Amino acid sequence: MSPRKVDKAARRKEILTAAVKLFARKGFAATRIDDIAAEAGIAKGSVYLYYDSRDALLEAAFEAYRAMSADIFDRAVNGPGPALERLGGLVHAVLDVLAAQREPARIMVDLWAASREAEKSPVDMAAVYGDMRAAIAELLRQADKEGALRAGVSEHHATVIVGALEGCLLQCLVDPGLPATELAEPIIQVCLEGLRRPAA
């Protein structure tokens, strides 16, 4: 009888999903490889066939989170329609992802706090914020070319919009009762409508 073939890509994803759940629930520092193996329903040694350490799992989770974010930003920057409408779509998409997948966001917050005390962390939150600021700044530049913005809008406005988004994300993580998806329109009204050129 030949041994059962394992779908390596599926197994890798199962292990990463188990790790993300545990990192979010217990915290990265308190999660052991044994815990991840038990959550995935496999032997501890099997985890090491795919990831050589907890840091490697964390790095894979971070890269998946960053790739998902990059896809949202790319669709907003390069999609059809007026730039301010695409920026509103970006706000909705970011909050929709949080509502559907809180674990990755919770891990990023946990690790951002931990990385302030560590010499080195596989999670570069500054890069994530930089990606978001760059996408929003580009959308603001496009909106300006379309004549949709009032005078004086700069890259600093992108930082403020990121601050509003991240502030709402953090509050939703701390208080799961807050409806993340319902916060998109208030952010758009407060942050984006104030940038729009007044009608003549």
Side-chain angles (χ1 to χ4, degrees):
M1 189 173 182
S2 59
R4 186 171 61 89
K5 278 195 168 184
V6 174
D7 181 336
K8 291 187 176 181
R11 176 56 54 85
R12 189 175 179 84
K13 187 174 179 183
E14 286 170 8
I15 294 168
L16 185 58
T17 299
V20 166
K21 284 182 181 174
L22 286 169
F23 291 160
R25 191 165 67 231
K26 296 179 66 173
F28 175 69
T31 301
R32 300 170 305 146
I33 293 291
D34 298 40
D35 303 324
I36 294 165
E39 181 78 18
I42 60 174
K44 177 180 177 180
S46 295
V47 175
Y48 287 113
L49 293 174
Y50 298 89
Y51 299 96
D52 62 8
S53 65
R54 279 185 323 149
D55 281 353
L57 277 157
L58 178 59
E59 193 166 352
F62 174 70
E63 288 306 324
Y65 179 83
R66 191 170 182 189
M68 179 177 58
S69 300
D71 182 56
I72 291 171
F73 304 152
D74 182 65
R75 280 186 279 121
V77 168
N78 298 305
L84 280 181
E85 285 182 18
R86 286 183 277 130
L87 182 48
L90 183 152
V91 170
H92 275 281
V94 168
L95 290 166
D96 287 348
V97 165
L98 173 70
Q101 303 180 38
R102 289 184 182 245
E103 287 98 348
R106 188 174 300 282
I107 293 167
M108 297 308 121
V109 171
D110 177 40
L111 288 164
W112 175 80
S115 68
R116 291 170 61 96
E117 299 169 11
E119 289 182 21
K120 185 181 175 202
S121 169
V123 172
D124 183 0
M125 285 307 292
V128 173
Y129 288 128
D131 293 344
M132 191 183 298
R133 276 196 310 273
I136 292 173
E138 175 56 28
L139 285 163
L140 293 177
R141 279 191 289 275
Q142 292 178 19
D144 190 42
K145 285 182 182 176
E146 295 166 0
L149 297 184
R150 64 176 175 75
V153 174
S154 73
E155 290 182 0
H156 298 312
H157 289 81
T159 303
V160 172
I161 294 167
V162 171
L165 256 173
E166 285 298 306
C168 288
L169 291 171
L170 181 59
Q171 289 182 71
C172 289
L173 290 173
V174 171
D175 182 357
L178 282 174
T181 54
E182 292 176 28
L183 299 176
E185 282 305 315
I187 291 174
I188 289 168
Q189 289 164 10
V190 171
C191 292
L192 305 191
E193 291 307 318
L195 302 177
R196 196 182 293 278
R197 181 187 293 277

